[in-house]
Amino acid sequence: MPELPEVEVVRAGLEAHVTGRIIASAEVLHPRAVRRHVPGAADFAGRLAGVKVEAARRRGKYLWLDLADGQALLAHLGMSGQMRVQPPGAPDEKHLRVRFTFADGGPELRFVDQRTFGGLALADLVDSGGTPVPDTIAHIARDPMDPAFDLAVAARALRARRTEVKRALLDQTLVSGVGNIYADEALWRARLHWARPTERLTAAQARAVLGAAADVMAEALAAGGTSFDALYVNVNGQSGYFDRSLNAYGQAGRPCDRCGTPIRRDPFMNRSSFSCPRCQPRPRGPR
């Protein structure tokens, strides 16, 4: 599933191609794509016609368009969602779900989603710590790349949890935007095992792993995100390249770039965790 850097790449593309334009029409081609908009597809399309896009924003893995009527067009990409900018008349994508046309007659915005786990919805904007966000994601915490993110506060909150450090990193109400890939990379950089109890972290370790998460995501963003298949693309259909720089995630059996010990894969929450047995020793003793 795309994480913060991949979503930020898409947000930046929307900012460049959609901001300032007036939506002429929204055509819903598959009702599941707007299932989170409870009033339904007709209401979704009707409320968007003639509305100006003011800005493209993001918090964690969610992105949205600020609309001139005070609402937000919220998007979650799920496992395979894409926001594509295409010239009018370009052939429809096989899994095209929603098409937006604009009053200027320029490029369309298309929501393409092969697996239909993503979706779009309209939401009211509410204040969240001084920042307007869609009401349905107001519970989502700031992410490490947010200018208002407070590392010291987040580190204290991390240490106050009673769980494994990786589970805490994946908790979007604690810190948003971090998923399986960047959690493993941040833990590798901080030399912490994914099962380390959060209450055993020192203040320095908590700050280190959160700082590492910010650093690794910034590097991934500079590389256009991490892409493991053709579904993770920017608005122009281009893939990112950060997967070539991963030190832990997906590297099972390969030598650790730091010490040469083969990277280990462990089952984790119906997924996998990757770590170096030497650099990231498993914690011992009871919690």
Side-chain angles (χ1 to χ4, degrees), residues 66-258:
D66 280 351
L67 304 176
D69 62 0
Q71 293 200 98
L73 174 55
L74 178 66
H76 192 271
L77 301 179
M79 293 182 67
S80 60
Q82 302 173 358
M83 303 295 287
R84 302 290 300 276
V85 174
Q86 296 281 32
D92 288 355
E93 293 82 359
K94 181 178 179 180
H95 302 289
L96 177 61
R97 307 306 186 192
V98 183
R99 183 202 321 273
F100 300 91
T101 62
F102 294 87
D104 58 18
E108 300 175 350
L109 176 62
R110 300 178 180 183
F111 179 62
V112 180
D113 191 1
Q114 177 179 323
R115 298 167 184 159
T116 64
F117 292 153
L120 309 176
L122 290 172
D124 294 324
L125 289 169
V126 298
D127 180 79
S128 175
T131 302
V133 300
D135 57 359
T136 51
I137 64 165
H139 62 291
I140 299 295
R142 293 186 186 275
D143 61 69
M145 297 184 69
D146 189 317
F149 180 76
D150 191 319
L151 178 61
V153 170
R156 286 196 296 270
L158 180 66
R159 296 178 68 208
R161 296 295 169 96
R162 293 296 181 267
T163 187
E164 297 165 344
V165 62
K166 183 172 178 179
R167 288 178 184 268
L169 290 174
L170 299 181
D171 182 350
Q172 303 299 294
T173 66
L174 176 65
V175 56
S176 67
V178 183
N180 209 34
I181 297 172
Y182 299 115
D184 280 357
E185 292 300 301
L187 289 164
W188 182 86
R189 293 187 180 205
R191 297 175 181 253
L192 292 171
H193 191 274
W194 58 266
R196 179 72 173 267
T198 49
E199 65 269 28
R200 290 193 197 171
L201 294 175
T202 66
Q205 287 172 329
R207 292 193 299 269
V209 72
L210 291 170
D215 290 343
V216 72
M217 289 192 292
E219 293 169 20
L221 177 59
T226 299
S227 296
F228 290 101
D229 59 43
L231 297 179
Y232 298 157
V233 297
N234 64 18
V235 297
N236 297 313
Q238 299 166 327
S239 297
Y241 296 98
F242 192 68
D243 57 310
R244 301 175 185 178
S245 302
L246 295 173
N247 293 295
Y249 184 85
Q251 306 302 306
R254 297 182 182 178
C256 170
D257 287 341
R258 202 161 37 211

Side-chain angles (χ1 to χ4, degrees), residues 17-25 51 53 65 85 99-110:
H17 292 283
V18 177
T19 297
R21 303 174 70 193
I22 296 173
I23 299 171
S25 66
V51 178
V53 177
L65 300 177
V85 174
R99 183 202 321 273
F100 300 91
T101 62
F102 294 87
D104 58 18
E108 300 175 350
L109 176 62
R110 300 178 180 183

